[in-house]
Amino acid sequence: MKSDTPVLLRHFINGEFVTSPAEFDNICPVDGSLISTVCEADRQTVDIAVAAAREALKGPWAGMSVQQRSQLLHKVADGIQARFEEFVAAEVADTGRPVHQARSLDIARGIANFRTFADLASTANTDAYEMPTADGLGALNYTVRKPVGVVGIISPWNLPLLLFTWKVAPALACGNTVVAKPSEESPSSATLLAEVMRDAGIPPGVFNLIHGLGANSAGEFLTRHPGIDALTFTGESRTGSTIMKAVADGVKEVSFELGGKNAAVVFEDADFDAAVAGVMRSSFTNSGQVCLCSERVFVHSSLFDRFVTAIRQKTEALKIGFPHTDGVDMGPLISHGHRDKVLSYYRLALEEGANLITGGGVPYFGDARDQGAYVQPTVWTGLSDEARCTSEEIFGPVCHIAPFDTEEEIIQRVNASKYGLACALWTTNLSRAHRVSRQIHVGLVWVNTWYLRDLRTPFGGVKLSGLGREGGRYSLDFYSDIANICIKL
């Protein structure tokens, strides 16, 4: 993956690629090589991008019908499809994820995001009510959707194109203009998307891309900018809190999808093999770097020992390697910095008294991967629910398995977390599935599956896991100002 002549990734503002004075390096987590250098937006660059977006609100974009915007977004989806393998290569280089995952999940979902929200916007319904009046003639009340204005978008590094387009697509479908900042750890696919936007005929200034870091850089300049009308962010809970404080004075609309310390619960009547496979997937997909991963696994006492043995065997059989290797299950973490964080929890777990079932360190390969950001997938038992390693989000390939005895007990233990994003239940008892799901205080409950969701349904968390809902009409509601019109008849 080494390159003797790394490319320069530039900002995309008002329909053109532009540079700024400062730059930073984009490092491949597979082998530590330099992928590209990236322009870092200063305050002036952000000002220019926001100004371009505000001006575009008055241009051809404002005069387009919903159907015309929808057609353009389908052209964007077509453009991603036409350059599918380029997007795969960009995602793999930035993240080190296995190629098969980038092909089957990340890029395919990016395409689906544009098509889904284009269709939803073009078929979205509004409300209409007739009401009586004292004179007997009545009145008609109906609602209309208007663009919010300029939307600031900040997306994370763990699923770069998927989560970037998850926000960009509905924002544009609703007639807004955007200034979007991808994570500094994964800027490549967003830059490719800017090329696709231009080639698809999206008017200048409608989609603006800025690169940079967070504090005292592009992220902070964007969140504090007075020209931003609404802000959507996916990332750490602490960053979400900082952003909320920054936008409070302007009373701006915000949508936050933040961290999680998600649970998987395996009841005594579960399909054992399906539950083992499901927990393996929900704990170790993308090296555990998914906000929806199961870091807390609760297994009924009658199955506990057997389940731990099965998870250990399957975890030790995972193939860790280069992303292009056939059959590889797991790649590196996103960076050496993030690896240091995860390894600090590996050490902490032992200090807290965990039983190390498997993993807990750094694999040795004897090749270029030793310069990368790999860690071993790790399983613990023996910690209390109050331990830091069972209550703080680690965001790595880890799970702690604990026994439970009763339904009432496990509902209380799952809900005791300060997070509330998702939960996976494994049971063949349909009544229990419905009963327990309603009592779990999270935004999303899966039963006998994980990471399966119709894009038309709501997504979001409670407590420290976020604010608001996106997906389907819920995204259309966030990215629209819904106004009421009352006509006296």
Side-chain angles (χ1 to χ4, degrees):
M1 292 198 177
K2 294 182 183 295
S3 174
D4 296 329
T5 56
V7 298
L8 175 66
L9 300 186
R10 298 172 292 167
H11 316 294
F12 183 74
I13 298 174
N14 204 27
E16 297 181 351
F17 285 97
V18 299
T19 61
S20 53
E23 298 173 359
F24 60 93
D25 291 339
N26 180 24
I27 303 297
C28 178
V30 173
D31 57 12
S33 62
L34 179 64
I35 303 170
S36 58
T37 53
V38 188
C39 292
E40 180 181 359
D42 54 16
R43 196 181 300 273
Q44 181 182 14
T45 303
V46 176
D47 287 343
I48 294 171
V50 173
R54 297 217 68 84
E55 187 64 24
L57 285 172
K58 301 178 290 185
W61 192 244
M64 287 187 185
S65 67
V66 176
Q67 288 72 25
Q68 288 172 319
R69 290 199 305 267
S70 175
Q71 290 172 0
L72 276 179
L73 295 185
H74 273 287
K75 286 187 67 176
V76 172
D78 293 340
I80 300 173
Q81 183 69 60
R83 301 178 65 176
F84 193 94
E85 291 303 323
E86 291 180 69
F87 277 94
V88 169
E91 293 282 277
V92 170
D94 278 359
T95 67
R97 74 178 81 255
V99 170
H100 66 80
Q101 180 187 315
R103 285 192 178 125
S104 63
L105 174 62
D106 299 79
I107 313 307
R109 172 66 182 277
I111 295 169
N113 283 338
F114 278 105
R115 297 204 190 283
T116 298
F117 288 110
D119 292 343
L120 283 170
S122 63
T123 58
N125 65 305
T126 53
D127 296 326
Y129 302 96
E130 293 185 40
M131 62 176 288
T133 56
D135 60 10
L137 296 178
L140 176 66
N141 289 261
Y142 65 95
T143 59
V144 294
R145 294 180 180 274
K146 304 176 182 179
V148 173
V150 178
V151 178
I153 294 173
I154 301 177
S155 62
W157 46 258
N158 58 321
L159 298 167
L161 186 72
L162 188 159
L163 293 175
F164 192 71
T165 57
W166 170 242
K167 298 176 181 297
V168 170
L172 296 184
C174 292
N176 302 286
T177 60
V178 304
V179 180
K181 189 195 91 66
S183 168
E184 62 272 20
E185 305 280 10
S186 54
S188 301
S189 60
T191 306
L192 277 179
L193 181 62
E195 295 179 8
V196 170
M197 290 278 188
R198 178 197 60 195
D199 296 343
I202 299 296
V206 171
F207 172 82
N208 302 279
L209 173 70
I210 56 172
H211 294 294
L213 313 182
N216 198 33
S217 185
E220 181 176 343
F221 302 151
L222 182 61
T223 59
R224 294 185 179 277
H225 202 287
I228 295 294
D229 298 300
L231 192 80
T232 175
F233 167 76
T234 296
E236 289 186 334
S237 299
R238 286 177 298 177
T239 306
S241 176
T242 299
I243 293 173
M244 180 172 281
K245 294 172 185 175
V247 302
D249 288 343
V251 197
K252 296 179 181 179
E253 294 190 64
V254 293
S255 177
F256 293 150
E257 195 272 280
L258 306 176
K261 190 71 175 178
N262 309 297
V265 180
V266 182
F267 287 98
E268 68 274 20
D269 55 33
D271 180 321
F272 184 85
D273 291 339
V276 169
V279 168
M280 286 295 298
R281 183 166 170 255
S282 68
S283 295
F284 301 126
T285 291
N286 200 33
S287 301
Q289 300 170 122
V290 180
C291 57
L292 300 163
C293 277
S294 306
E295 293 188 5
R296 298 185 295 153
V297 179
F298 299 97
V299 180
H300 192 269
S301 297
S302 63
L303 301 176
F304 182 76
D305 291 338
R306 180 185 171 202
F307 194 89
V308 171
T309 298
I311 291 292
R312 176 184 61 79
Q313 291 172 345
K314 289 191 175 294
T315 300
E316 291 175 352
L318 289 174
K319 185 174 182 179
I320 308 171
F322 288 111
H324 293 83
T325 302
D326 289 341
V328 68
D329 298 300
M330 207 176 88
L333 300 181
I334 188 65
S335 68
H336 289 86
H338 187 55
R339 182 176 72 169
D340 291 343
K341 173 195 170 184
V342 171
L343 289 175
S344 73
Y345 278 103
Y346 283 11
R347 295 188 294 270
L348 176 63
L350 300 181
E351 294 170 6
E352 291 186 312
N355 300 316
L356 179 62
I357 303 303
T358 188
V362 176
Y364 174 73
F365 301 101
D367 56 35
R369 288 171 291 178
D370 292 328
Q371 305 304 312
Y374 290 87
V375 297
Q376 294 173 330
T378 297
V379 180
W380 302 304
T381 63
L383 291 175
S384 72
D385 292 353
E386 292 74 34
R388 287 182 58 194
C389 287
T390 53
S391 60
E392 298 177 7
E393 183 182 38
I394 299 172
F395 217 63
V398 299
C399 71
H400 176 268
I401 309 176
F404 74 93
D405 293 307
T406 68
E407 186 176 300
E408 294 74 19
E409 169 202 347
I410 196 56
I411 292 170
Q412 181 179 6
R413 291 174 71 182
V414 170
N415 286 341
S417 175
K418 61 186 176 181
Y419 295 99
L421 187 56
C423 178
L425 306 179
W426 297 89
T427 177
T428 56
N429 184 320
L430 182 61
S431 295
R432 168 179 278 161
H434 285 292
R435 182 173 62 248
V436 174
S437 295
R438 290 172 178 267
Q439 297 179 74
I440 301 297
H441 195 201
V442 295
L444 174 60
V445 177
W446 282 291
V447 178
N448 297 330
T449 188
W450 179 78
Y451 211 83
L452 177 66
R453 191 176 63 82
D454 192 306
L455 293 180
R456 296 169 294 183
T457 59
F459 180 83
V462 299
K463 298 185 276 189
L464 286 184
S465 288
L467 175 69
R469 293 292 180 271
E470 296 189 39
R473 67 174 181 83
Y474 304 89
S475 280
L476 302 186
D477 290 347
F478 174 74
Y479 293 109
S480 301
D481 277 337
I482 301 175
N484 181 62
I485 297 173
C486 180
I487 298 178
K488 180 68 173 66
L489 301 177

